[in-house]
Amino acid sequence: MGWIKNMNAEEIEKLIEPFLPEEEGPVKTIAGAMNYSIRVGGKRLRPRMVYEAYRCFGGEDMGVIAPIMAAVEMIHNYSLCHDDLPAMDNDDYRRGGLTTHRKYGEAMGILAGDGLQTHAFYTAAKACEAGAAPETVVRTISILAEKSGIGGMLGGQAVDVESAEKNIDLYTITFIHKGKTAALIEASLMMGAVMANASEENIRLMEQLGEAVGIAFQIQDDILDVTGNFDELGKPIGSDDKNNKTTYVSLVGLDASKSALTELFMKARAIISELGERADGLSDILESLVGRKK
């Protein structure tokens, strides 16, 4: 596949599909649950960010970047499998379809998340088989592990769970957003840059961009949980209120949340503008997020 500007979800899914586990033998059910979690749909935002950051900094080999794109989507979907569980958000629908645990049972919902997490790192390592330098792949995997682990997504999720039914402050809710949502977006942009052998300065710039976009994305999610509807979101609205969770909106109000959202998008635009025309794909992603309704 040649370079595609504004790669869409369907094109990304074609890249991810070969990396999914085979649904055969004794593990047919769990493989099916893992694959269902991926195939049920989605925006494929994070693999698209990997792709566009890689392209931005001169990467040219689709063979080496495809495993990284697939890996980050697996990590994202593992987190959704677990986030939807009865012990967490207890949601029945995701992307317009049944959540994994509702379709396959709670035990398989847990194991599907576990399976996607481990399969992600197995998949990322395949970039070496495609010709990427081992030291580059090791650093890329290290970023994915750091940003999805206790220092990132997992840490944010844990604080979110502990904060349920508690009065928390703006620092804590921002910490949750940075870990739970921004960290994996940071990882996506950073991994694309690393795989393209970008400079350390540009890798850190991608981290800053990911933080701004990620926190904005989660604030927008909080807003949509109040103002959206099931047909647009593909999942129930008001789940945060149902679970007595403090959100950015419940803490500072809808108007202040919208102002914060605008400020973060302006910061992201400023970072992208530093990169010039080569960042056209990243700019397009940002603009698509500004007015999103799902």
Side-chain angles (χ1 to χ4, degrees), residues 145-163:
E146 176 190 6
K147 296 293 186 179
S148 63
I150 193 168
M153 183 180 71
L154 180 66
Q157 182 69 68
V159 175
D160 189 31
V161 169
E162 285 188 307
S163 299

Side-chain angles (χ1 to χ4, degrees), residues 115-175:
L116 285 170
Q117 182 188 37
T118 53
H119 200 67
F121 294 102
Y122 171 75
T123 299
K126 287 183 175 292
C128 288
E129 296 178 15
E135 59 271 21
T136 301
V137 178
V138 167
R139 184 175 182 193
T140 300
I141 290 175
S142 178
I143 290 170
L144 184 59
E146 176 190 6
K147 296 293 186 179
S148 63
I150 193 168
M153 183 180 71
L154 180 66
Q157 182 69 68
V159 175
D160 189 31
V161 169
E162 285 188 307
S163 299
E165 301 186 15
K166 292 181 181 178
N167 294 321
I168 59 175
D169 57 18
L170 189 59
Y171 170 82
T172 304
I173 199 70
T174 302
F175 178 89

Side-chain angles (χ1 to χ4, degrees), residues 61-81:
D61 190 340
M62 282 299 299
V64 303
I65 202 60
I68 310 302
M69 294 168 65
V72 77
E73 186 66 8
M74 290 173 190
I75 291 289
H76 174 56
N77 281 273
Y78 123 67
S79 75
L80 299 183
C81 279

Side-chain angles (χ1 to χ4, degrees), residues 278-290:
R278 62 182 178 170
D280 57 348
L282 294 175
S283 180
D284 290 342
I285 291 174
L286 179 65
E287 296 310 313
S288 72
L289 294 177
V290 171

